[in-house]
Amino acid sequence: MGGSNNVNSVFYAETYHPIQAGSIDGTDILPHDNAVYRALLCSNASLYDPLGDPKLIGDPYHTIFVSRLSHLTTEHTLHKAMSKYGRVKNLRLVRHIVTGASRGYAFVEFETEREMRRAYKDAHHSFIDDSEVIVDYNRQQLMPGWIPRRLGGGLGGKKESGQLRFGGRERPFRAPLRPIPYEDLKTLGIRPPPEGRYMSRFQVPSPPRKRRSSVEKEEYSHKRSSVDREEFSQRSSSIERDGHKRTAGGRQESSSKRNSVEEEHHHRKSSTDRSESSQKRTPIEREDHRHKCSFVDREELSHSRSTAEGGEISRKRTSKDKEERSSKRHRHHSRSNR
């Protein structure tokens, strides 16, 4: 059951039971003092209503419980100290109903649950007016089965009071080193220790999170759907713009392709028409056509021959002129030598 690995392990209460709260390891099955017995009677008889306090205001999931405050601490001082962790929406410093003196604890509500969790984590064991304070979540409204200190319940406490209560943030349950009486705990309605899921003493237990109601879920889904619709519309508009650009480019390409196809088709059609016209000619027309073509070919041939002969004659004349000029220069040169 227990073991040496559990010596420094702890666990925290998720529901409140007076007998378990009076046990150092959460396995007691009998009340060990009169205050625990009184708290058990109040719990069994449902004499305490945690939601019946008319002074309770605000959202419990946004509220922290601050204890061990100095009796000199005022609302202004506490508000200033808590403002470091977030926006304080509401603050109630509990005072004596007759004297009006501070009773050393208060409830501080923040604007958001995130700010509350920041104060829950960072304000614990901080100092306000030279007093080290304890910070916890609002167990009065959020912890099932809660019984306050004035009725023998509560959590924490000091040794000199003789009424220590375990399972809270300041004094968690220690992992049991003895066998756990599961059947007896089940009979009393006490949740047994979470074997295999113990925590370190230095780990911070997480306060309960707010569960969304059906209305909040609908609002959240509506907001989410509106955001999704906006994103979808933006994406669709960008896709449409890209499609218009592609369509314009495609139109230009298709028009150029169409023009080239039309030209090719026209060329083929003209060649086809020529061939068809040649096939439709009568024998006499085809004979005239061949005669004309042969006549044109003979003229071109004679013209090319005359051009070639004229070029050859011009070349011969040029060479003859060159010879005559060279002979004249030779005779002139011989006469000058004489």
Side-chain angles (χ1 to χ4, degrees):
M1 304 300 177
S4 59
N5 295 333
N6 296 335
V7 173
N8 296 319
S9 301
V10 298
F11 66 100
Y12 299 87
E14 297 180 1
T15 60
Y16 192 86
H17 194 284
I19 295 178
Q20 188 181 34
S23 172
I24 193 172
D25 60 0
T27 60
D28 285 1
I29 56 176
L30 295 173
H32 69 276
D33 61 38
N34 292 331
V36 173
Y37 186 73
R38 186 171 69 253
L40 183 61
L41 290 177
C42 292
S43 176
N44 292 335
S46 301
L47 299 178
Y48 174 72
D49 181 12
L51 303 179
D53 188 353
K55 296 180 181 179
L56 290 176
I57 58 173
D59 191 341
Y61 292 94
H62 296 182
T63 305
I64 59 172
F65 171 77
V66 186
S67 63
R68 295 189 185 177
L69 288 168
S70 171
H71 292 284
L72 301 177
T73 300
T74 62
E75 285 84 355
H76 176 72
T77 306
L78 184 59
H79 188 284
K80 184 178 179 181
M82 292 293 110
S83 296
K84 296 187 295 184
Y85 309 105
R87 298 164 294 170
V88 177
K89 183 178 181 180
N90 184 39
L91 183 146
R92 181 168 73 95
L93 180 63
V94 180
R95 295 182 177 275
H96 195 277
I97 193 171
V98 177
T99 64
S102 172
R103 302 194 63 176
Y105 63 94
F107 296 91
V108 182
E109 181 188 5
F110 290 89
E111 291 286 347
T112 63
E113 186 176 355
R114 183 176 182 180
E115 293 169 324
M116 171 265 174
R117 288 179 174 273
R118 181 184 177 189
Y120 172 84
K121 180 180 179 182
D122 298 337
H124 189 54
H125 287 304
S126 63
F127 285 86
I128 301 176
D129 290 334
D130 298 328
S131 179
E132 187 177 8
V133 300
I134 303 297
V135 176
D136 206 343
Y137 68 89
N138 190 358
R139 293 182 184 268
Q140 178 179 348
Q141 295 178 270
L142 299 181
M143 192 173 195
W146 175 256
I147 300 294
R149 170 68 69 174
R150 68 175 185 272
L151 297 178
L155 293 173
K158 296 182 179 181
K159 290 182 179 180
E160 52 268 23
S161 67
Q163 294 183 2
L164 294 178
R165 299 292 180 265
F166 300 90
R169 186 176 186 184
E170 186 63 13
R171 291 187 182 276
F173 294 123
R174 296 180 185 176
L177 301 177
R178 59 181 179 177
I180 301 173
Y182 287 103
E183 294 297 330
D184 295 330
L185 294 176
K186 184 178 180 180
T187 303
L188 293 171
I190 299 175
R191 182 174 295 182
E195 282 194 296
R197 293 184 288 111
Y198 297 121
M199 299 176 64
S200 168
R201 185 67 178 83
F202 303 100
Q203 289 179 282
V204 180
S206 178
R209 293 186 177 275
K210 186 176 183 179
R211 294 181 180 179
R212 293 192 180 98
S213 63
S214 58
V215 177
E216 290 176 338
K217 287 180 180 179
E218 289 178 0
E219 292 178 354
Y220 177 77
S221 61
H222 179 69
K223 290 180 181 178
R224 186 65 184 171
S225 60
S226 63
V227 172
D228 292 339
R229 284 196 298 271
E230 290 178 359
E231 291 180 354
F232 178 76
S233 62
Q234 292 177 357
R235 290 178 182 175
S236 61
S237 61
S238 63
I239 292 171
E240 287 178 358
R241 287 195 298 270
D242 295 340
H244 287 316
K245 291 180 180 178
R246 291 173 182 170
T247 304
R251 286 175 180 173
Q252 292 178 356
E253 291 180 358
S254 62
S255 61
S256 61
K257 289 181 180 179
R258 197 181 299 115
N259 294 332
S260 62
V261 170
E262 288 177 355
E263 290 178 358
E264 185 178 356
H265 178 69
H266 180 71
H267 179 71
R268 289 180 179 176
K269 187 175 181 181
S270 61
S271 61
T272 305
D273 293 340
R274 284 196 301 269
S275 61
E276 289 179 354
S277 62
S278 62
Q279 291 175 359
K280 290 179 180 179
R281 288 171 185 157
T282 62
I284 298 172
E285 289 176 347
R286 284 198 294 272
E287 185 68 23
D288 293 339
H289 180 70
R290 284 197 297 271
H291 179 70
K292 289 179 181 179
C293 290
S294 61
F295 178 74
V296 172
D297 293 338
R298 284 196 299 272
E299 285 185 350
E300 290 179 355
L301 181 61
S302 62
H303 178 71
S304 61
R305 285 179 179 176
S306 61
T307 304
E309 290 176 355
E312 187 177 356
I313 292 169
S314 61
R315 284 196 298 272
K316 289 181 179 180
R317 287 178 181 176
T318 304
S319 61
K320 187 175 181 180
D321 292 338
K322 288 180 179 180
E323 290 178 357
E324 289 178 355
R325 283 196 296 270
S326 63
S327 61
K328 287 179 180 179
R329 282 197 300 271
H330 181 68
R331 285 196 299 269
H332 178 72
H333 182 66
S334 63
R335 286 176 184 174
S336 62
N337 288 333
R338 290 177 183 174

